[in-house]
Amino acid sequence: MTGKPTIGKKYAKSTQAHCETVLRTFYDFHLDANSGSLLINPFPLARSRHKGRANAHHNPMDEFKNEREGRYRPTVPERIPRRIPDDKYTEVFAGLRSHRDRALLAFWVSTGARASELLTSGERDVLPGQQLIGVIRKGTQDYQQLPASPDAFVWLRLYQEEAWRKGVPRGRGEPLWWTLRRPWRPLNYHAARAMFVRVNEILGSNWTLHDLRHTATFRMTEDPEMSLVYVQHLLTHKYQTTLQKYLNPSKDEVITAGLAHFARLELKRKNPPPTPAPSYNPESLNVLFGGPRT
């Protein structure tokens, strides 16, 4: 359904590459500190690299070079961002069991914020009149206000009214997202992820919370009146070239276009163009119509 590979029996290439980096760095640290009887690093750099990090003297005006760091480091395939199609998104939304989960999903897919970033919002960060919600950005820890869809604020208000009647703490300094059962605790990432996993089990899919961010990015980049500069700012990407992978057609779009091509060929075969009457000279018709009729 999603086109994403399931978890296999072996470690993924990204996991192998991460372990190679950790082990190589571990042995380099102890070799430099002379903290043991180590003589060599069993995970050396590639022969062409000798010493130094990859792209050590990189010119910011040029593209990064594809330099392999470790001799035994596997080649990690480029990850293709996956979006949730609109019809499947409706099924995911229908599989949610509470107003809180519906509000979370609506904010994730409209703001493009990371899953953990949205959970940092407090009650004071929501401005329904301006259609804005404030989050703390990952990494930089900067505070940023993001525009969201109107229906997201509707679901949020329904969730808040229901939660306040049950006794959830209320106030401008309180967190925005809470657990659904007592004792009341602020909702964390692991609980939100568990909620989304349950929906995937119902649908038999393997989408992740980060796919909601990809879905929001695809929707923004497909809008011809939405500048990529604004999309870059909303997603807090350092380089605008990061959005290039969202501008390429997705696998589903390519397949749909290919099937439509074959459907047009079949329709043309079943309904061939009318042939001219035998009394007309084909050469005269070519001169009259500027070329052979197709």
Side-chain angles (χ1 to χ4, degrees), residues 239-271:
Y239 301 105
Q240 195 176 93
T241 53
T242 309
L243 299 174
Q244 181 61 40
K245 56 186 177 182
Y246 297 99
L247 303 178
N248 298 325
S250 64
K251 178 181 177 181
D252 297 334
E253 293 174 341
V254 173
I255 293 177
T256 302
L259 295 177
H261 165 69
F262 292 119
R264 290 191 296 269
L265 292 179
E266 183 67 16
L267 181 63
K268 187 177 180 179
R269 185 184 65 83
K270 292 181 179 180
N271 301 287

